[in-house]
Amino acid sequence: MQRSCFQGTPEDKKKRTNTTSKTSVYELYRGEKKQYRWKNGRLQLSHRTGGDAESVQPGWKREWVEKLDNERRKIIGLAQNALFPTSVTDDYWSYSFWRALQRVSGGMLSVYSTQSMLQAVGVGSKKALPTSAALNWVLKDGFGKLGKLGIGTFYGSNFDANLKQAKFASSVLYMSCVGLEILTRRFPGQFLLLAGIANAGKGVGLATSLATQPAFNKSFALEENIASISAKGQVQTTLADMVGLGGAIAVARLAKQSPFLASVVPYVAFPLLSSLDLYCIHRSIKSIHLKTVNLGRGGIIAGHWVDHGHILNASEVSSAEGLWGPTKVDDGYLPLRIVSISKVAESPDHLHELVEDSKTKQYIFAPRQQGLQRPELCLVLKEGAQFADIMEALLQAAHLRRILKRTPDGGRGDTATACDVRFALARSKQLGEAHLEGLLQQMSMEQWQTNKFLLGSNGQRRLVCN
């Protein structure tokens, strides 16, 4: 079996068997500092940030105390991430309190209003039927609210870094859920199940759309007129909805003469209209030329700079940027991921080597391959990493790909040795340093925003080295 050059030699791994830690490293995430410790041959986070590694408590008791403390911190962290954003002004908290109170009262009123409307239109002749129908309807809406809560809790911090991808994925999900709602007519006995799943998915789609739209509006504004752009967008949306509603009513009036035709119209219209809907959404998102830089757009910019020596503008990057999943740079060869140091360091000696080699940098850059998985490039950001540091890492990644592609098999097998990879890493590091200033100057000339790099939740985890 061939050994990949990214897996290292047996001699390299033999050097990394020392279990005595030479280097103390920490992770800084959302203002909380946690220390990494070696446990069972793996680098793991511990919530102790200093002092002796041992405690006067018995081993079993100390272990249970640590587990309970870890679970407590996870629950508190999950609640904080779900409910509160970071980096907000003081008046945000008062606004949030009164808005939450208003939504509670409004939610209670919606239950009573739904039941009243069902009774008003004469749903059933028995008193229990309107109450049961109202309960099913409210439960359906409840699933939608759970969908909004889930997307905000687990993925909300990634929206800014992946606006277009989040918008398109949520649109596909929303349209799929519309199809489920249409199926409730065919399976009325499964109304709560189908409508509940559909409303949960639509809740995710609506929450994502509402979360991403302000950022799109901001990219359109040439002046401080974001509120005006939002207002005009609502007008356009309302007019388009009215046209669509009028078209649906007209088709329904034409089809009402034939019960069979009226019953099949929704099933015929859905695939046609949903395809048109998704095509229009794809084109509309592609037409947005964001000038903020995330990992995908930064990789495209750095790769084109290395290949052609000039910077792409926002329109050209939009054409190359993918909407379904992470943007593939260089056809997906050696993809770059931002990870924690525990995903890279194989032993205390290897950790010490990585930290020493990157003393002058605000990041740690290392290739990795696990088993039969495809090789990838791992980036660990340090506490002081800024926009220029991340772009330098992307430049190094682009140069590394070019160097390794010059080998007969592109660095995928035996032809490129571990020595070749070490040389490629050193050379790409030199080229990244040499080209960084020119890259940043041209990015500023093309009006790319170089004050902040947009990162997801992984990018907010920073390494602190002692």
Side-chain angles (χ1 to χ4, degrees), residues 45-61:
L45 279 176
S46 170
H47 293 289
R48 296 192 304 273
T49 58
D52 293 336
E54 301 298 330
S55 171
V56 295
Q57 295 176 330
W60 65 269
K61 187 174 182 180

Side-chain angles (χ1 to χ4, degrees), residues 39 48 62-71:
K39 187 175 182 180
R48 296 192 304 273
R62 183 174 64 251
E63 184 176 351
W64 276 104
V65 169
E66 286 185 1
K67 286 183 178 180
L68 291 174
D69 187 55
N70 288 345
E71 293 302 319

Side-chain angles (χ1 to χ4, degrees), residues 132-324:
S132 176
L135 179 60
N136 279 284
W137 198 272
V138 169
L139 285 175
K140 171 190 74 75
D141 290 344
F143 285 118
K145 296 183 187 299
L146 286 176
K148 292 180 181 180
L149 178 62
I151 194 68
T153 300
F154 298 107
Y155 298 103
S157 58
N158 292 313
F159 284 163
D160 288 316
N162 303 284
L163 287 171
K164 292 186 176 183
Q165 292 79 8
K167 173 68 174 178
F168 185 69
S170 66
S171 299
V172 174
L173 176 62
Y174 186 94
M175 196 51 55
S176 301
C177 292
V178 171
L180 283 179
E181 287 185 330
I182 292 177
L183 285 178
T184 58
R185 182 177 178 179
R186 178 69 179 81
F187 303 100
Q190 304 298 322
F191 171 82
L192 183 57
L193 175 63
L194 294 175
I197 295 174
N199 237 40
K202 290 178 68 175
V204 170
L206 289 172
T208 305
S209 180
L210 290 173
T212 56
Q213 192 59 47
F216 293 144
N217 291 341
K218 183 179 179 181
S219 71
F220 298 140
L222 294 177
E223 301 174 355
E224 293 296 328
N225 58 338
I226 299 176
S228 175
I229 293 174
S230 300
K232 301 305 181 185
Q234 292 179 24
V235 172
Q236 296 164 11
T237 300
T238 302
L239 288 175
D241 287 344
M242 291 174 64
V243 172
L245 181 61
I249 293 174
V251 171
R253 289 180 66 87
L254 292 174
K256 71 176 183 179
Q257 303 299 330
S258 170
F260 172 76
L261 186 61
S263 65
V264 300
V265 162
Y267 305 109
V268 174
F270 174 73
L272 298 176
L273 294 178
S274 61
S275 298
L276 177 62
D277 184 279
L278 293 177
Y279 173 76
C280 293
I281 288 173
H282 185 275
R283 290 296 300 270
S284 67
I285 296 175
K286 277 288 188 178
S287 66
I288 301 172
H289 306 320
L290 297 176
K291 294 187 176 180
T292 54
V293 183
N294 62 6
L295 207 58
R297 290 190 285 275
I300 293 172
I301 292 170
H304 192 83
W305 167 269
V306 170
D307 285 341
H308 305 285
H310 69 272
I311 294 295
L312 295 174
N313 59 36
S315 175
E316 293 168 328
V317 171
S318 294
S319 299
E321 189 176 10
L323 297 184
W324 193 255

